[in-house]
């Protein structure tokens, strides 16, 4: 499977600037969206005003989108770390789920009097640990059993989602005490001191998680670009056999980078649990893991692009809800537009990387020394 | 009907659409193209099947519409991942989102006011005598006309694309070593196109069967992950027809058990049964019984040159 990762590895050296490609993709998809709205009976003017109001019209709308973007930034940032080492982490959704379960377990069992200084970090750390542990399964199988992390992380998503179902349905696990037959299958709420504080902007639900996410990707960007660790990860990603000949512990780098990706997705899970409504419930991941993967793949290793794409997709989604409320257009229109943007960029991006791709050595089952020498990207 | 017969019957009913989609996907993966979009193709097939049946009043035309619609989505995905070299995982996930959005949108517009409910579907055809075999009879020999088409399609694909035929070997060659296959003069891209279209057609058939033989209606996200489960069945079956068939039936029975176990008073959390197929698949790909593995060129686009 190094074959695939090597192909993906060429991504961050753009032959064509990504910005015009992205803008063209957004414009084309938006056009399709307008036509769909027209079919559903809303004029372009009405559509656009509803969309604008739903995305940036109120502090509430902006805040919700920013919170969603923080979650995506964390997942996509983690994805990028593993991606640099040549691994494709498809398991964001499952790691998010495992992180959420761990965070909820800690956040509901701490004593009610625990000070926030301890409670909040404990909940977030539990989330990160849960995600890391979940990714460690795939990392172990990759390093020791040579099982493709693309397939194992994909499969672990579904196990992780079922894990939430298990946790919230079993009274002996995390289900809240059943007082009547109408008690919902969800966990008890987290203790108050474990709630993530709001950023304190005027009537905005934006939480401190936004700052946390930005700080994390900033740190990751520096590690990847400016440190020896970043260079080592990249070497492992470009050519595991060359890295191994240079004496690098390739297996350890693979393991650590994938578990780091899991830890960040798990941290995002902890953030989601520690944000309103503060309970573990089925469907709390709501596809963030998969969207985060798409963000990571589209951003192609650039932390700046991770932030930009996360913001774009987050704002678009919350705009869609208003579209349905105000203009009477099915909110699925936005799902369609977001999917089209992704497809257009994916199609165009591969074209840009093509020239570079063809120079890459063909991965053979046992690459010889000549074939594995990296030519630099 | 006793419990065992019930479990086997509903297990096979769950397994059939899964297996139809998985057998098509197996051929595509052997040629080196992973279609995570199988879920979207099935959903599209189910939607177009119901829409076609409602519009024309004929379930046969409905089923054909379902297959055709899935082929359109499959063609788009094939162009993206084979010609434009787009990332197969990104395209697959995005295509699923697109299909979910488009069918939900379409259902609001075209199937509103209960038009998508109780549509003209296929009736059961029971084979005389065989149908009355205990336990297995009702499961295997009582299918709708479309169900029989599904079974015929599975048998045909398994035989025609068997690795023991030249055709099957050609597909394996393209998936294992696209460059060498190209050097020997095989039309790598054309073979991949055809394999993806085969997977799409089978997924469309599976979706139409689900909607027109079993549910007889369309609801948002009707397939609810069966397409992903079909991809998992290919992995758990270790890229071999017999393995995929066994995996699909095991997954189908596991799904049937979720409903049957509580009924007979066995208290197993259903979430554990939901996990089961995926855990099987993880064990299968982790090489704990190493006999066969993923096609070498799976998810790698082919481009000539250098």
């Amino acid at each position: 499977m190094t074959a695939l990762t090597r192909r993906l590895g060429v991504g961050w050296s753009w032959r064509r600037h990504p910005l015009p490609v992205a803008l063209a993709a957004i414009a084309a998809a938006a056009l399709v969206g307008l036509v769909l709205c027209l079919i559903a009976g809303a004029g372009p003017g009405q559509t656009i005003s509803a969309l604008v109001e739903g995305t940036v019209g109120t502090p509430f709308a902006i805040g919700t989108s920013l919170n969603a973007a923080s979650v995506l930034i964390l997942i996509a940032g983690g994805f990028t770390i593993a991606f640099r080492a040549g691994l494709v982490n498809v398991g964001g959704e499952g790691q998010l789920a495992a992180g959420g379960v761990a965070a909820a377990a800690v956040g509901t069992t701490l004593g009610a009097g625990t000070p926030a200084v301890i409670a909040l970090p404990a909940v977030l750390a539990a989330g990160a640990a849960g995600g890391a542990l979940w990714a460690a399964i795939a990392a172990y199988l990759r390093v020791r059993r040579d099982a493709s992390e693309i397939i194992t992380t994909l499969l672990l998503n579904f196990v992780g989602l079922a894990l939430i179902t298990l946790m919230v349905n079993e009274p002996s696990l995390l289900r809240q005490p059943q007082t009547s037959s109408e008690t919902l299958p969800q966990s008890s709420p987290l203790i108050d001191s474990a709630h993530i504080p709001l950023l304190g902007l005027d009537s905005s639900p934006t939480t401190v998680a936004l700052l946390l996410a930005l700080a994390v990707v900033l740190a990751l960007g520096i590690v990847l670009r400016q440190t020896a660790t970043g260079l080592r990860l990249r070497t492992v990603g470009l050519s595991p056999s060359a890295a191994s000949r240079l004496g690098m512990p390739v297996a350890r780098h693979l393991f650590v980078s994938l578990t780091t990706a899991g830890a960040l997705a798990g941290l995002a899970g902890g953030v989601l649990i520690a944000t309103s409504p503060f309970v573990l419930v089925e469907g709390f991941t709501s596809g963030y893991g998969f969207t985060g993967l798409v963000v990571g793949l589209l951003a192609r290793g650039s932390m700046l692009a991770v932030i930009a794409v996360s913001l774009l997709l987050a704002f678009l989604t919350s705009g869609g809800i208003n579209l349905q409320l105000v203009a009477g257009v099915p909110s699925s229109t936005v799902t369609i537009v977001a999917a089209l943007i992704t497809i257009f960029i994916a199609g165009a991006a591969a074209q840009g990387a093509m020239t570079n791709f063809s120079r890459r050595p063909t991965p053979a089952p046992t690459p010889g020394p000549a074939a594995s020498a990296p030519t630099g990207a | 009907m006793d419990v065992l017969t019930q479990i086997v019957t509903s297990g096979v009913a769950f397994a059939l659409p899964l297996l139809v989609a998985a057998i098509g996907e197996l051929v595509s993966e052997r040629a080196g193209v992973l279609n995570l979009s199988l879920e979207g193709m099935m959903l599209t097939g189910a939607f177009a099947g119901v829409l076609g049946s409602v519009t024309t009043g004929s379930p046969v035309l409905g089923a054909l519409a379902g297959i055709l619609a899935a082929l359109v989505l499959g063609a788009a995905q094939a162009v993206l991942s084979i010609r434009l070299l787009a990332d197969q995982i990104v395209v697959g996930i995005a295509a699923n989102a697109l299909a979910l959005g488009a069918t939900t949108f379409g259902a609001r517009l075209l199937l509103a006011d209960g038009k998508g409910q109780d549509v003209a579907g296929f009736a059961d055809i029971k084979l005389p005598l065989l149908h009355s075999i205990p336990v297995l009879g009702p499961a295997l020999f009582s299918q709708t006309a479309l169900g029989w088409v599904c079974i015929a399609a599975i048998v045909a694909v398994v035989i025609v694309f068997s690795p023991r035929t030249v055709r099957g070997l050609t597909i394996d060659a393209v998936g294992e070593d696209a460059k060498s296959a190209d050097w020997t003069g095989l039309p790598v891209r054309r073979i991949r196109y055809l394999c993806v279209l085969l997977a799409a057609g089978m997924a469309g058939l599976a979706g139409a069967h689900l909607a027109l033989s079993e549910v007889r209606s369309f609801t948002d996200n009707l397939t609810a992950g069966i397409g992903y489960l079909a991809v998992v069945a290919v992995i758990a079956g270790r890229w071999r027809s017999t393995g995929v068939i066994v995996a699909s039936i095991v997954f189908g029975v596991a799904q049937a058990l979720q409903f049957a176990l509580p009924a007979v008073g066995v208290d197993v959390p259903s979430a554990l049964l939901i996990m089961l197929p995926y855990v099987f698949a993880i064990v299968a790909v982790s090489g704990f019984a190493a006999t066969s593995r993923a096609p070498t060129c799976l998810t790698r686009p082919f481009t000539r040159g250098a």
Side-chain angles (χ1 to χ4, degrees):
Chain A
M1 204 44 79
T2 50
L4 167 74
T5 52
R6 207 171 291 168
R7 170 171 67 78
L8 288 170
V10 303
W12 57 81
S13 92
W14 283 89
R15 283 300 155 116
R16 296 197 326 216
H17 199 277
L19 204 59
V21 175
L23 290 178
I26 293 166
L31 206 64
V32 176
L34 283 179
V35 171
L36 286 176
C37 291
L38 213 58
I39 296 172
Q46 195 187 2
T47 306
I48 291 171
S49 74
L51 199 61
V52 168
E53 200 194 309
T55 46
V56 292
T58 60
F60 180 80
I62 299 176
T64 317
S65 307
L66 287 178
N67 283 346
S70 334
V71 172
L72 293 180
I73 289 171
L74 283 173
I75 298 170
F79 171 89
T80 303
I81 292 279
F83 188 62
R84 208 35 89 91
L87 297 171
V88 182
N89 177 27
V90 189
E93 191 83 1
Q95 293 146 12
L96 191 68
V101 166
V106 170
T108 51
T109 45
L110 283 176
T114 317
V117 196
I118 297 171
L120 184 57
V123 164
L124 294 182
L133 209 63
W134 208 247
I137 302 172
Y140 170 81
L141 292 175
R142 171 73 172 78
V143 170
R144 288 271 168 261
R145 315 281 326 181
D146 200 24
S148 156
E149 81 287 352
I150 298 182
I151 291 171
T152 50
T153 53
L154 174 72
L155 295 171
L156 282 167
N157 284 333
F158 301 104
V159 184
L161 292 174
L163 184 71
I164 304 176
T165 313
L166 182 69
M167 289 292 168
V168 299
N169 277 301
E170 293 303 307
S172 57
L173 297 169
L174 288 176
R175 182 167 189 166
Q176 60 182 343
Q178 269 169 293
T179 48
S180 73
S181 59
E182 278 143 39
T183 308
L184 291 173
Q186 59 185 34
S187 75
S188 312
L190 263 61
I191 56 167
D192 287 350
S193 54
H195 296 181
I196 295 187
L198 297 182
L199 207 51
L201 299 174
D202 190 32
S203 67
S204 166
T206 318
T207 64
V208 177
L210 180 65
L211 299 182
L212 176 71
L214 290 177
V216 166
V217 284
L218 192 70
L220 290 181
I222 292 171
V223 168
L224 286 185
R225 273 171 189 266
Q226 311 287 342
T227 67
T229 311
L231 188 63
R232 283 196 201 103
L233 281 179
R234 189 168 170 174
T235 314
V236 169
L238 285 174
S239 174
S241 52
S244 149
R245 264 184 210 99
L246 289 169
M248 284 184 215
V250 173
R252 193 194 303 161
H253 278 95
L254 293 178
F255 188 88
V256 169
S257 65
L258 190 55
T259 41
T260 307
L264 288 173
L267 178 61
V271 165
L272 277 175
I273 292 296
T275 314
S276 174
F278 313 109
V279 292
L280 178 73
V281 60
E282 263 185 90
F284 89 91
T285 56
S286 48
Y288 279 121
F290 287 113
T291 313
L293 160 70
V294 167
V295 172
L297 279 165
L298 293 181
R300 303 232 149 201
S302 153
M303 289 298 173
L304 216 58
V306 162
I307 298 174
V309 181
S310 297
L311 286 171
L312 172 73
L313 290 182
F315 271 99
L316 204 57
T317 311
S318 59
I321 297 162
N322 202 50
L323 205 57
Q324 176 149 14
L325 290 177
V326 177
V329 173
S331 64
S332 46
T333 314
V334 165
T335 317
I336 299 175
V337 172
L340 285 176
I341 293 178
T342 311
I343 290 174
F344 290 156
I345 295 182
Q351 291 305 293
M354 238 189 93
T355 32
N356 209 347
F357 169 73
S358 55
R359 274 203 226 125
R360 227 140 258 291
T362 314
T366 47
S372 59
T375 48
Chain B
M1 223 192 285
D2 62 305
V3 178
L4 183 64
T5 314
Q6 217 163 6
I7 291 175
V8 173
T9 310
S10 63
V12 170
F14 280 125
L16 187 56
L18 187 68
L19 182 55
V20 174
I23 284 290
E25 171 67 9
L26 170 63
V27 175
S28 174
E29 286 193 24
R30 276 169 57 202
V33 186
L34 176 75
N35 299 292
L36 275 186
S37 52
L38 215 57
E39 171 79 12
M41 293 172 185
M42 277 183 80
L43 188 59
T44 309
F47 172 75
V50 169
L51 186 63
S53 178
V54 169
T55 321
T56 63
S58 151
V60 176
L61 290 180
L64 288 176
I67 296 171
L68 203 68
L71 281 175
V72 172
L73 186 61
Q77 128 114 28
V79 170
L80 277 161
S81 46
I82 299 168
R83 179 75 196 82
L84 297 178
L85 313 177
D87 190 275
Q88 291 172 18
I89 296 168
V90 178
V91 171
I93 291 173
N96 288 339
L98 181 65
L100 180 61
T103 54
T104 308
F105 185 90
R108 291 279 172 291
L109 247 58
L110 304 170
L111 296 173
D113 310 319
K115 254 196 283 180
Q117 307 298 318
D118 294 319
V119 299
F122 291 90
D124 278 356
I125 300 173
K126 295 177 180 172
L127 290 195
L129 293 179
L130 287 173
H131 165 254
S132 22
I133 297 172
V135 184
L136 289 179
L140 297 180
F141 301 111
S142 171
Q143 303 284 348
T144 64
L146 196 56
W148 289 113
V149 171
C150 286
I151 293 174
I154 293 167
V155 173
V157 170
V158 167
I159 293 174
V160 171
F161 298 99
S162 153
R164 283 158 216 264
T165 64
V166 173
R167 207 179 280 105
L169 281 174
T170 309
I171 288 170
D172 283 332
V174 167
E176 286 297 338
D177 190 344
K179 183 158 264 182
S180 304
D182 183 50
W183 280 341
T184 64
L186 290 175
V188 173
R189 283 185 174 173
R190 194 191 310 157
I191 291 169
R192 286 187 171 175
Y193 272 117
L194 292 175
C195 289
V196 172
L197 287 177
L198 177 79
M202 293 288 275
L205 176 64
H209 171 67
L210 196 65
L212 294 176
S213 296
E214 295 186 6
V215 204
R216 299 201 177 197
S217 63
F218 184 82
T219 46
D220 293 350
N221 196 16
L222 178 79
T223 47
I226 301 178
Y228 279 114
L229 202 57
V231 177
V232 173
V234 175
I235 299 166
R238 304 180 66 93
W239 295 273
R240 287 182 172 176
S241 299
T242 37
V244 173
I245 292 169
V246 171
S248 300
I249 292 172
V250 169
F251 293 1
V253 171
Q255 209 152 16
L257 283 177
Q258 284 171 40
F259 300 98
L261 285 185
V264 295
V266 181
D267 188 26
V268 176
S270 63
L272 288 180
L273 289 166
I274 299 174
M275 284 180 194
L276 207 63
Y278 306 106
V279 175
F280 273 150
I282 292 169
V283 172
V285 287
S286 303
F288 288 107
T291 46
S292 79
R293 39 187 315 125
T296 312
C297 292
L298 188 60
T299 75
R300 285 192 56 230
F302 171 71
T303 173
R304 210 178 265 174

